[in-house]
Amino acid sequence: MSDIWKQHHPSELTDLTMEKDGHWMVTIDAAHRGVGTAACGPDTLERYRVRPGIYRLNLIIW
């Protein structure tokens, strides 16, 4: 994260997609909540809220 704040352009970021041991690092999020938490303004609209439940992902890599 500190690398992000030090750079001015995405091209200046360190490429961390390939780990030292030769394995790729992939991060997948199930969902993102819309902007707003009602802490100091309006809350996220109902249609953009992430509700509790079971989220499933099937990933096939060939």
Side-chain angles (χ1 to χ4, degrees):
M1 289 301 296
S2 63
D3 193 30
I4 292 174
W5 297 108
K6 291 178 189 174
Q7 310 309 329
H8 298 281
H9 301 283
S11 62
E12 297 172 342
L13 293 172
T14 304
D15 185 3
L16 298 176
T17 57
M18 187 67 159
E19 291 292 311
K20 294 175 188 167
D21 59 4
H23 293 92
W24 289 93
M25 175 179 57
V26 177
T27 304
I28 301 173
D29 296 320
H32 290 274
R33 180 186 166 124
V35 177
T37 61
C40 60
D43 198 358
T44 303
L45 295 175
E46 184 65 34
R47 66 180 177 257
Y48 298 117
R49 293 183 188 178
V50 178
R51 295 291 173 204
I54 297 173
Y55 296 90
R56 295 186 179 166
L57 171 71
N58 293 320
L59 179 64
I60 299 172
I61 299 175
W62 68 94

